[in-house]
Amino acid sequence: MSRQPFRAFVSLFPDVRFILSAAQASQFPADRGTEVAFAGRSNAGKSSAINAIVQRNGLARVSRTPGRTRLLNFFEVGAGRRIVDLPGYGFAAAPEAERRTWAPMIDALRKRRALQGLILIVDSRRGVGPEDENLIAWARDPDARADGEPMKVHVLLSKSDKLTRNEGFKALKAAKGVLGETVSAQLFSAQDKVGIDEAQRVLLDWFAAGETGGQ
Ligand code: GDP
């Protein structure tokens, strides 16, 4: 007999599906329900984190298919609940033409009432960099938000399996030092399944808060 305690498997995200890729704000789904954005430098582990959190292998692979890597990809992860997968950043400066379409699109995203918060993936070995800080400042600007409140931000320090316990502790402490009190952070490993419950809890809490907030 198994010595593992019995736990019935109940999926937290039973109905997960790709909705659409948007190249401009007019293509976004209607601004109803709740959504949470995921962002990070290219290769930080964002696709792996999304797949691990919503328990769907290969889901975020959609965002990596040719033609979709520079778009905003929307996934439904429950009734009226969406994840918005932002393109990875950290590549050489984007061409001007691309920036002209890109900047208004993410500004439009930030204004959406449905958008509850940002989950930022940061490689635990690199720590929080200037581009990550830029994105946080963008997200936390209260004037850009429909409700005048700064957006919630939670940082996943990814690939923590590559660090020893002590290095992980130090990486978390250093990140918290940079992020301050208003942005939360945790260690995360999609590979070793570290911190998945905690990340799921944040996501579900944000969805629930948006739903009770009179949406
Ligand atoms: P993205 O570009 O941010 O979407 O990153 P991916 O999820 O595609 O991951 C980038 C690389 O990091 C891939 O080679 C992954 O296998 C690897 N990776 C992602 N998550 C983990 C993790 O938790 N641990 C380790 N060791 N490698 C990871």
Side-chain angles (χ1 to χ4, degrees):
M1 208 173 96
S2 165
R3 294 206 288 198
Q4 293 289 324
F6 174 74
R7 271 207 300 167
F9 180 77
V10 180
S11 175
L12 298 171
F13 303 98
D15 301 308
V16 177
R17 67 180 181 98
F18 171 69
I19 308 174
L20 57 82
S21 299
Q24 55 191 54
S26 61
Q27 297 167 341
F28 290 174
D31 188 9
R32 284 196 297 269
T34 53
E35 62 199 18
V36 172
F38 280 71
R41 280 181 68 95
S42 303
N43 222 36
K46 175 166 55 76
S47 309
S48 306
I50 293 174
N51 289 340
I53 290 168
V54 304
Q55 301 157 317
R56 284 296 183 290
N57 281 337
L59 179 77
R61 202 182 298 143
V62 176
S63 308
R64 301 173 69 89
T65 54
R68 289 217 167 102
T69 54
R70 304 289 302 130
L71 307 177
L72 263 63
N73 293 296
F74 289 80
F75 300 91
E76 187 175 76
V77 297
R81 296 177 166 188
R82 293 177 298 278
I83 279 177
V84 193
D85 187 1
L86 271 66
Y89 50 87
F91 34 78
E96 181 57 31
E98 202 168 85
R99 228 173 311 164
R100 271 203 302 273
T101 55
W102 168 243
M105 183 159 67
I106 62 164
D107 272 331
L109 179 73
R110 179 168 62 168
K111 290 201 186 79
R112 281 162 72 83
R113 289 191 176 276
L115 188 67
Q116 302 301 313
L118 170 70
I119 296 191
L120 181 60
I121 321 300
V122 172
D123 190 320
S124 58
R125 296 164 303 173
R126 296 181 72 111
V128 178
E131 288 152 315
D132 303 313
E133 291 193 70
N134 278 346
L135 192 73
I136 293 170
W138 167 84
R140 300 278 308 159
D141 176 359
D143 296 336
R145 295 281 291 155
D147 61 3
E149 295 284 333
M151 196 190 303
K152 300 184 200 83
V153 180
H154 182 68
V155 173
L156 304 183
L157 295 169
S158 64
K159 311 187 193 181
S160 69
D161 55 278
K162 300 233 188 197
L163 302 180
T164 64
R165 213 182 159 79
N166 192 37
E167 286 167 344
F169 176 77
K170 284 189 182 152
L172 184 57
K173 199 170 165 203
K176 285 188 169 169
V178 175
L179 298 169
E181 301 271 293
T182 49
V183 175
S184 50
Q186 63 162 104
L187 291 171
F188 186 89
S189 164
Q191 185 185 289
D192 284 7
K193 308 213 179 314
V194 173
I196 294 178
D197 291 2
E198 194 178 345
Q200 288 171 330
R201 185 48 48 211
V202 169
L203 188 59
L204 289 170
D205 282 353
W206 288 357
F207 284 138
E211 286 158 3
T212 54
Q215 303 256 341

